[in-house]
Amino acid sequence: MRGVVFDGKQVQVVDDLTVREPGPGEVLVAISAAGLCHSDLSVVDGTIPFPVPVVLGHEGAGVVEAVGAGVSHVTPGDHVALSTLANCGTCPECDRGRPTMCRQAIGRPGRPFGRGDRPVHQFACNSAFAERTVVKAVQAVRIPKDIPLSSAALIGCGVLTGVGAVLNRARVDRGDTVVVIGTGGIGLNVLQGARLAGALRIVAVDANPAKEAVARQFGATDFLTTAEGVRDLLPTGADHVFECVGRVELIRQAIDLLDRHGQAVLLGMPRATAEASFVVSSMFLDKAILGCRYGSSRPQRDIPLYAELYRQGRLLLDELVTATYPVEDFEKARADAEAGRVARGVLTF
């Protein structure tokens, strides 16, 4: 079968990939569409260290082909969106409703794929850039069949991360002020999460002025090309600032833009060894810096919620898909994503 494999030096679309059958508690999914996220590109450029060879992709949707023993919540033929959380479901963190903190879901890459006699790693417990993938049952979330799979694919990462950061982690409230630095796939979802939460002022900041129209479509009330103008709009600072790029100088800007009791939420992914600085005394007025993994999401709860909000016209998905590419055109999709020409490119199988 076809898949996108990174061997540590180059990315190739191969056609000799194999995947094993699902075992107990697992699901085999035929992937229909998968979003190209910057986390995939970060594996290629070394920002996210990962063992190789690896099948890339972690934001996908498709149709269940087979289930292993003990799986009953999905059956063959169901449409599913995939999450990256292969959480155990039984540890104290899972029991508290915090599956993103499950230690079984962090840093344990499996190797369900193969090329010839060589095993191939799975990225983010998912690897959606393949015609078929095997995931834990908890990762496969059934969705209505009337949702286009090319749009549903984006729920599993961009929407869960961006909207979840607003609703679950920051808990933005009605009337709050929000600044979003970076309006790529994650930033756009932060914008619409702030809109859903009832934020009064939502300021989008992006160096590319061409992104203003789509930022406003997703919920921005104001658009700036630099953060220097934020204080003109919000003289005392913002209640919430989301950094969605992953650059240390922007993290510092996010902290400096906070009002009293404000919180900076870090969503962008800098290199693993990156360090940021801030003025310590500026934090004593109940300000906070929040890390956020995967939107602090509970996928089996949140994915159906976001799917229904989409069906009601309250959450935008189709508008996120700015280009689709057959998997053979991965390099074009990658070039468009790296150049910022698309909010989210989607690979199709």
Side-chain angles (χ1 to χ4, degrees):
M1 66 178 186
R2 294 170 298 167
V4 180
V5 176
F6 176 56
D7 65 4
K9 295 181 180 179
Q10 63 179 345
V11 183
Q12 289 182 296
V13 179
V14 303
D15 60 8
D16 59 350
L17 199 63
T18 60
V19 66
R20 63 172 173 77
E21 292 297 312
E26 294 181 332
V27 178
L28 175 67
V29 178
I31 298 295
S32 296
L36 177 55
C37 174
H38 276 277
S39 293
D40 301 302
L41 303 179
S42 294
V43 174
V44 177
D45 68 20
T47 300
I48 298 178
F50 207 86
V52 294
V54 57
V55 179
L56 297 174
H58 64 286
E59 185 182 69
V63 180
V64 175
E65 280 202 351
V67 300
V71 177
S72 59
H73 75 293
V74 293
T75 58
D78 284 345
H79 287 198
V80 292
L82 301 183
S83 86
T84 66
L85 286 182
N87 59 296
C88 71
T90 58
C91 70
E93 296 294 352
C94 288
D95 192 51
R96 294 187 183 109
R98 299 192 300 217
T100 57
M101 296 296 104
C102 174
R103 284 170 171 78
Q104 297 294 323
I106 301 176
R108 294 173 180 263
R111 294 192 291 182
F113 299 101
R115 292 187 70 194
D117 59 357
R118 185 180 185 186
V120 179
H121 285 93
Q122 184 175 42
F123 178 52
C125 303
N126 190 308
S127 288
F129 292 172
E131 289 188 83
R132 291 172 182 82
T133 190
V134 170
V135 297
K136 289 186 66 172
V138 71
Q139 296 176 253
V141 185
R142 187 169 55 196
I143 57 174
K145 291 185 177 181
D146 60 356
I147 298 179
L149 289 171
S150 59
S151 296
L154 304 187
I155 300 177
C157 177
V159 176
L160 281 179
T161 299
V163 177
V166 174
L167 302 182
N168 301 327
R169 185 67 169 125
R171 298 184 182 274
V172 173
D173 201 0
R174 297 178 303 277
D176 283 356
T177 55
V178 172
V179 175
V180 181
I181 300 176
T183 60
I186 299 300
L188 291 177
N189 279 297
V190 173
L191 290 172
Q192 69 172 332
R195 170 175 52 79
L196 288 166
L200 184 64
R201 200 84 182 260
I202 307 171
V203 182
V205 180
D206 197 292
N208 184 354
K211 293 185 177 182
E212 178 172 1
V214 70
R216 290 185 181 276
Q217 181 181 20
F218 275 75
T221 59
D222 303 272
F223 183 91
L224 299 170
T225 54
T226 69
E228 280 69 26
V230 170
R231 289 284 181 175
D232 294 330
L233 301 174
L234 305 172
T236 63
D239 296 314
H240 313 273
V241 183
F242 295 83
E243 200 282 333
C244 305
V245 180
R247 289 168 46 188
V248 294
E249 65 271 24
L250 298 181
I251 291 172
R252 173 59 184 267
Q253 284 186 343
I255 296 167
D256 290 345
L257 289 172
L258 295 177
D259 196 357
R260 298 182 179 193
H261 68 73
Q263 49 190 17
V265 184
L266 309 186
L267 297 178
M269 180 64 70
R271 289 189 176 273
T273 57
E275 297 182 1
S277 64
F278 59 91
V279 178
V280 176
S281 62
S282 71
M283 302 299 295
F284 292 138
L285 292 172
D286 287 357
K287 298 179 184 180
I289 303 169
L290 303 181
C292 183
R293 181 174 188 240
Y294 204 41
S296 301
S297 297
R298 286 182 276 173
Q300 289 288 342
R301 177 202 67 171
D302 291 346
I303 289 177
L305 168 63
Y306 299 152
E308 186 56 34
L309 288 171
Y310 165 79
R311 297 174 83 197
Q312 294 178 11
R314 298 166 63 192
L315 183 128
L316 305 181
L317 290 179
D318 304 336
E319 295 81 0
L320 283 167
V321 183
T322 45
T324 59
Y325 310 82
V327 67
E328 291 80 6
D329 287 346
F330 173 80
E331 282 303 325
K332 177 171 172 43
R334 175 184 172 186
D336 287 348
E338 290 178 334
R341 290 189 287 267
V342 294
R344 240 344 173 248
V346 173
L347 301 180
T348 58
F349 292 86

